[in-house]
Structure formats: C-alpha cells, structure tokens
C-alpha cells in the first residue's frame, strides 16, 4: 500500500500483523500498535520528541547489566510493574499479598541454616526474623524455599558495591517440618532507588522523590503452591504512603520490635495459595 498518511497508517500496520501464527502475540501486537498510534495522535507527538524518546529507551538499555535492571526500575516507577502484579495475583482472602520483584534479585544466593546470619557483614543494626509458611488451609508448608534479600543501612544492595567479593544481606533458607524459619540479618531501612541513570532523570524532570520505605524482600516457592514474590515493610516508615514504585500493601506492613538488648525482632507469617488443579 502506497501513499500512507496519518489517517490510514494504523490500519495498514494492523493488516501486516494479520497472519501472525500465535494468537496471543497477535492480540498483544495489535493492541500495542493501536495504543501507541493513539498516544502519538493524542499528544501530537513531534519528531524531536519521538527521537528523544528513542534516545531515552536506548540509554535505559545501556544502563542495564548483570546486576542492574534499569528497565525493571522504569516499569516500577511508572506503576506498570505493580499493575501487572495486581492483575496476575488476585489471590483468595487470607493469602499473603504479592508486590514488585525489584531490580536487585540475584540468582545463586548462598544457602543458610535456620538461625544463621544472612547479613554476612552488611552494615546495620542486628535483627532476628522468624515466621512460618502455611497454606490457605492453615497447614504448615515444609521444605519451602525462602529467598530473602535487602539493602544495608546505607541504602545499598550488595550488587551495588564494586569490589565486594561475597554476597551480603541475601540468602536462601528452607522451611522446617512445621513450616517455620528464622534467621539473623539487619534492620531494614528506607533508601532511594538508583538515580544515576535514565530513571533518575525522569524522576527529576517530574519532581518525584526516589525513596522506598524500609522493606525486606521474600520469594517463597513450594511444590503445589503458587510462587510468592513480596516484601515485608517496616511500620512507621515515612515513605509508606509515597513509595517510589507503588509497592506498599497494608497487609505487608509489620513491626520491627526493639528488644531489651538493642536488637530488633520481626515476626511475619506467610500464607501461600495452592496451585489450581
């Protein structure tokens, strides 16, 4: 088709997609083209603005590495990550709510026995974390894989520290026969997401703060249950109502209780949703 213009180009592109073999891919690509074209028309996108957008996405990709996922961060601050989580994790009442994955998960974290210190030298006030993993029916879930990770008291994850030779403040545990687990770590503190890349530029341009409320990441996997990706947030944090990535859920807010010896204690129980059969 020749002589395409702003009135007929959308339909021409959709026609080129008509023979897409995968029906789901066809559905997604059709909607993507329709919405992108509608967006460009709505804001009367200029060529200079379009090129600036291309440069921005290019810079976002260039900022990604094995230890930094700038595209996840961009999705997070636009609320897209949390929207996707909410749409895909509509669990029955009583199940632990899911929240965003975040850009700093790393595979291959060290395994720890119950009671060991996953902080492994990370700076922060000492804290004991304990809880249980149960199913929606209340029965304990034994042998669940529990992955945890967090920032230190300076707001940095281990992968953000050049030259660090060992994982810190992250680890993998296995729930006991009673579904229980406990480990030592450090107290969660609020921290700003990285602002030295394109995401930071966008936050500055839109006058948004980069702060996340204090939290501890969990990913829990068990046979017969849906994988749970979530945080536990520290009660009283000043950023609970303005999380930069929109991830807070009231049910995930818990108290880090200060103990007589000056350390802290976090108790939190997780409830997994069984896999539909």
């Amino acid at each position: 088709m020749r002589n395409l213009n702003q009135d007929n180009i959308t339909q021409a592109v959709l026609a080129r997609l008509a023979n897409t073999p995968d029906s789901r891919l066809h559905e997604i690509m059709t909607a993507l083209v329709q919405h992108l074209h509608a967006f460009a028309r709505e804001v009367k996108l200029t060529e200079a603005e379009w090129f600036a957008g291309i440069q921005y996405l290019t810079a976002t990709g260039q900022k990604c590495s094995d230890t930094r996922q700038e595209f996840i961060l961009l999705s997070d601050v636009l609320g897209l990550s949390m929207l996707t989580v909410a749409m895909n994790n509509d669990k029955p009442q009583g199940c632990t709510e899911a929240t965003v994955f975040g850009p700093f998960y790393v595979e291959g974290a060290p395994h720890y026995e119950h009671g060991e210190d996953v902080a492994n030298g990370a700076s922060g006030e000492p804290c004991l974390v304990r809880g249980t993993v149960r199913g929606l029916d209340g029965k304990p879930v034994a042998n669940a894989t529990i992955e945890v990770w967090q920032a230190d008291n300076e707001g940095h994850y281990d992968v953000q520290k050049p030259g660090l030779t060992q994982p810190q403040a992250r680890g993998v545990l296995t729930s006991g026969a009673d579904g229980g687990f406990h480990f030592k770590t450090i107290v969660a503190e609020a921290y700003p997401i990285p602002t030295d890349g394109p995401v930071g530029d966008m936050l500055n341009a839109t006058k948004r703060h980069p702060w996340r409320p204090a939290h501890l990441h969990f990913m829990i996997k068990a046979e017969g249950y849906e994988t749970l990706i979530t945080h536990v947030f520290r009660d009283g944090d000043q950023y609970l109502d303005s999380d930069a990535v929109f991830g807070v859920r009231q049910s995930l807010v818990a108290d880090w209780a200060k103990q007589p010896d000056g350390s802290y204690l976090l108790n939190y129980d997780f409830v997994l949703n069984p896999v539909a059969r």
Side-chain angles (χ1 to χ4, degrees):
M1 185 176 182
R2 303 182 184 183
N3 300 321
L4 293 172
N5 56 46
Q6 61 180 306
D7 298 317
N8 62 17
I9 190 170
T10 302
Q11 290 307 312
V13 176
L14 295 179
R16 301 280 180 92
L17 298 172
N19 295 323
T20 304
D22 187 310
S23 60
R24 178 60 174 164
L25 177 60
H26 180 258
E27 179 185 8
I28 292 172
M29 290 300 298
T30 297
L32 177 64
V33 168
Q34 289 173 327
H35 285 285
L36 282 176
H37 285 214
F39 162 75
R41 291 187 177 99
E42 179 182 345
V43 302
K44 297 180 172 58
L45 192 67
T46 69
E47 290 181 89
E49 290 164 342
W50 168 82
F51 190 65
I54 295 296
Q55 289 179 313
Y56 183 85
L57 293 176
T58 300
T60 301
Q62 291 170 338
K63 195 67 177 176
C64 295
S65 69
D66 291 341
T67 57
R68 168 83 171 263
Q69 232 303 346
E70 193 78 358
F71 268 113
I72 288 181
L73 202 60
L74 179 59
S75 176
D76 288 350
V77 301
L78 293 176
L80 181 59
S81 298
M82 196 59 225
L83 172 60
T84 304
V85 168
M87 290 192 303
N88 288 276
N89 288 273
D90 188 15
K91 302 179 187 296
Q93 185 174 3
C95 290
T96 303
E97 291 189 277
T99 190
V100 294
F101 194 44
F104 294 116
Y105 170 76
V106 176
E107 292 184 356
H111 286 252
Y112 289 91
E113 298 297 324
H114 293 174
E116 291 188 319
D117 186 4
V118 307
N120 197 26
S123 59
E125 296 182 89
C127 176
L128 174 65
V129 178
R130 66 187 182 195
T132 60
V133 181
R134 297 184 178 277
L136 189 57
D137 58 4
K139 295 180 180 178
V141 178
N143 300 314
T145 299
I146 305 166
E147 296 199 52
V148 297
W149 65 102
Q150 70 178 107
D152 63 16
N153 65 353
E154 296 178 343
H156 296 128
Y157 289 82
D158 53 1
V159 293
Q160 294 176 283
K161 297 181 175 182
L164 189 64
T165 59
Q166 60 184 7
Q168 290 185 332
R170 69 173 72 240
V172 183
L173 300 99
T174 303
S175 64
D178 61 352
F181 65 90
H182 64 282
F183 60 92
K184 297 175 184 177
T185 184
I186 51 176
V187 174
E189 303 283 357
Y191 65 86
I193 61 174
T195 57
D196 60 340
V199 171
D201 294 339
M202 188 271 285
L203 292 179
N204 288 332
T206 54
K207 301 299 181 184
R208 288 176 54 186
H209 76 69
W211 285 84
R212 296 220 62 205
H215 61 274
L216 176 58
H217 291 263
F218 285 84
M219 180 163 66
I220 303 176
K221 299 179 179 181
E223 185 176 355
Y225 296 90
E226 296 177 357
T227 295
L228 174 65
I229 297 172
T230 195
H231 308 353
V232 179
F233 294 91
R234 187 177 175 186
D235 195 17
D237 192 284
Q238 63 177 315
Y239 298 108
L240 286 172
D241 294 315
S242 62
D243 181 10
V245 308
F246 308 97
V248 177
R249 295 293 178 267
Q250 182 57 43
S251 67
L252 302 177
V253 178
D255 183 35
W256 265 253
K258 194 163 187 177
Q259 303 301 293
D261 65 357
S263 66
Y264 286 78
L265 172 65
L266 169 65
N267 275 306
Y268 197 87
D269 297 327
F270 297 90
V271 179
L272 304 184
N273 193 33
V275 173
R277 299 188 184 279

